[in-house]
Amino acid sequence: MAFKQILANQHFVFEDLKTLLAKATPLRSGDCLAGIAATSMIERAAAQQALAELPLSHFLNELVVPYESDEVSRLIIDSHNKESFTPIAHLTVGDFRNYLLSYSVTNKEIALISEGLTPEMVSAVSKIMRIQDLILVANKCVNITKFRNTLGLPGHLATRLQPNHPFDDAAGIAASILDGLLYGSGDAVIGINPATDNYQSIGKLVHMLDDIISHYAIPTQACVLTHVTTQIEAINNQLPIDIVFQSIAGTQKANESFGVSLSILDEAYSAVNSLNRGTLGNNNMYFETGQGSALSANAHHDVDQQTCEARAYAVARRYKPLLVNSVVGFIGPEYLYDGKQINRAGLEDHFCGKLLGLPMGMDICYTNHAEADQDDMDMLLTQLGAAGVNFIMGIPGSDDIMLNYQTTSFHDALFVRQVMNKKPAPEFEHWLIKHKIFNSQGELSDQSHLGPFADISHLLR
Amino acid sequence: MSNKSIKRIDKQAFDVDAWHKLQNFTQARIGLGRAGGSLPTNAQLKFNQDHAKARDAVHAHIDFDAINTALKQQNLSSIHLHSKAKDRTEFLQRPDFGRQLNNNSKEALLHSASSHKKGMDVAIALVDGLSSVAIQKYGCELVQQLIFEFNKLAYTSSSIMLVKQGRVAIGDEIGEIINAKSMVLIIGERPGLSAHDSLGVYYTYNPKLGLNDASRNCISNIRPQGMSIHDATEKIIWLVNQSFNKKLSGVKLKDTTETTENNRSQHSISGNFLLPK
């Protein structure tokens, strides 16, 4: 269906829904690279006006990727909850924005409609929102998950301790884990990106993390972020896998480029459920996403990168994951050019994921060929703190020496916790206080304090 | 008001964590210390300095004239080429432009190829990629060692292609035009904080437009603190010989040579020291 809009005495025609969505998207380099971005500010403004006037029900009738050829589209339509949608079925996208911002709409109301929302509706409303809207509405959403601790409670901020090493050296990884734990990091997960996908070395890392968590009785979970099929193999071989990780995207073809499909993810979900290793709950999947992944696999079907990203969340929510995060600045400047684009994309991803019911965290990051620096990351970090992000990354000194990019440090998490009065996951916080790593105000102890590692102090000094 | 109430504060050592010796186990920025919970001044400034090096490496202007002069002194000829990306800003936003020659370069190359119709065994390209600094510092030396080895093996080689604003796949177009049997493309890698001057080498047998990364073999982290130029040369020669035997390159040509890890830290403790033995 074509959409017409008159603005500033100009006639604009947007030939279909995906075109309208793409033209309404705030400027980013990836949509320009794809050749689908608005070509003038006024065209973008006209598209946003037309989008605001579109009824939400339209999104159930016109798909951006055909139902017949894409299993993500089929998942979105087949899992749509009509009953949840009823309260908002008569609203336009513009009305929906007003509704979300209303005082009377709280987490309770949003949770009731969440299953009635499709990724495209959520993406659409985000395109007519400013950063403060994205923060305010996301801040209303409370999406709590549990495995060995409780993540996503209001007033809390967790971190993934990411102890990566360029050749998976056990001592090097152990050193980063110790550093992180003594800085109060690691409640979301201790998660390693391995340098190799060699099965034997993956197995060693899985055992290593499990041994550390057991020995020190840390209320957290472990993950080795290798391909999902390798993790299924590990589970079948009785390796101690806590949660299963996979990178996912918003179209079937993009997922195929990652070597995954819904059926492979179903198999992984069923395998990890069979282990039942969670003590407080059984959210046991972990997904990473990021705007631009579909385009980079040439699998975007001329859909804008933010809508493709939101569609990945439909895949994620099928598996009631413990953790989901976008790796927002990792992909490079051809998709998100500078700090401004990375910042907005991060807040959009967090907002869309939260509205769709996901426990959203964020890898607040950049590469050295992007026009971004630590100040840009501080702005996104602070804004996501205000938006109530479930977790962020924690890495020594912001420098990932394996993946060669910069993400948030252990210190960065302490900063957000300090200025916004946020606490780690309660069970993890209890562990930190018990080992006198934190005092009851959440401040770190003296720098000579080795907490649970006092027994190995002869190795450290 | 009495001055007695104003006390000098003690200068504390903010940047010493009790476990800072663990820095011997990893290049990760551990044991940095803290001021409150925040980064102490020294660590903050060190980070900024490393980021500055990486950023400058991306944006540095490459001086191919100097490289051309250096190559001439070794009796090596070169050809200047430019991708479709007109400048760094466009290069960073349009990877597709960086993979194609601009029209002038294409014509120049076609002209050159018309006088060397037989082609050659190996084409060599130096491409600025994402670190001009890496090419400027180590590009010539790697080329010289390669040519030395190729001559010993009686492999014919091309003039050295000096490519501005280029990405890896531009080697496919170059190789096809000059009818090269194989392409050794040397490129500046995306700078990290710990290394802003790494070279990468992408090797392709029978380079042609339309190939993807599955057809290439990559050797990465070539720099004094990573893989030495000597070791990289050995690996490249191994790849060329193997690919000429098997008539292919890429994922089907697995590298079985030993990897030397110069940057592996030398420490007395190995393995997971967090657990009792």
Side-chain angles (χ1 to χ4, degrees), chain A residues 29 32-33 164-167 169-179 182-183 208 211-212 215-216 330 333-335 337 366-374 396-399 401 403-406 409-412 414-415 418 444-450 453 456 459-461, chain B residues 12-23 25-40 47-48 50-51 54-55 58-59 88-96 99 130 167 190-195 261 263-265 267 269-276:
Chain A
S29 48
C32 298
L33 178 64
N164 296 347
H165 189 276
F167 37 93
D169 178 68
I173 288 170
S176 288
I177 290 177
L178 176 142
D179 195 56
L182 289 176
Y183 273 92
M208 176 177 171
D211 290 345
I212 292 170
H215 181 76
Y216 293 99
F330 187 75
E334 59 267 44
Y335 302 91
Y337 183 64
Y366 65 109
T367 58
N368 288 321
H369 62 318
E371 289 292 322
D373 61 19
Q374 293 297 88
S398 293
D399 175 13
I401 56 170
L403 293 171
N404 259 332
Y405 78 122
Q406 286 89 253
S409 66
F410 306 139
H411 297 75
D412 289 337
L414 294 172
F415 151 75
Q418 185 177 341
L444 289 169
S445 306
D446 183 85
Q447 279 170 245
S448 63
H449 183 66
L450 291 171
F453 306 109
I456 54 165
L459 300 175
L460 310 180
R461 292 206 161 101
Chain B
Q12 295 167 22
F14 288 113
D15 40 11
V16 181
D17 287 321
W19 57 95
H20 72 277
K21 268 176 84 179
L22 293 181
Q23 288 166 350
F25 297 0
T26 176
Q27 292 188 347
R29 292 170 199 246
I30 62 168
L32 294 180
R34 55 194 173 77
S38 302
L39 268 188
F47 182 99
N48 290 349
D50 290 341
H51 186 237
R55 294 290 293 150
V58 173
H59 289 276
R88 270 283 111 160
T89 306
E90 189 166 74
F91 172 81
L92 290 172
Q93 297 192 57
R94 294 299 301 262
D96 50 333
R99 298 184 195 114
L130 284 165
R167 291 189 187 250
R190 193 182 89 195
L193 282 198
S194 41
E261 279 157 350
N263 54 351
R264 188 183 283 275
S265 53
H267 47 75
I269 306 164
S270 63
N272 176 12
F273 59 85
L274 295 179
L275 294 183

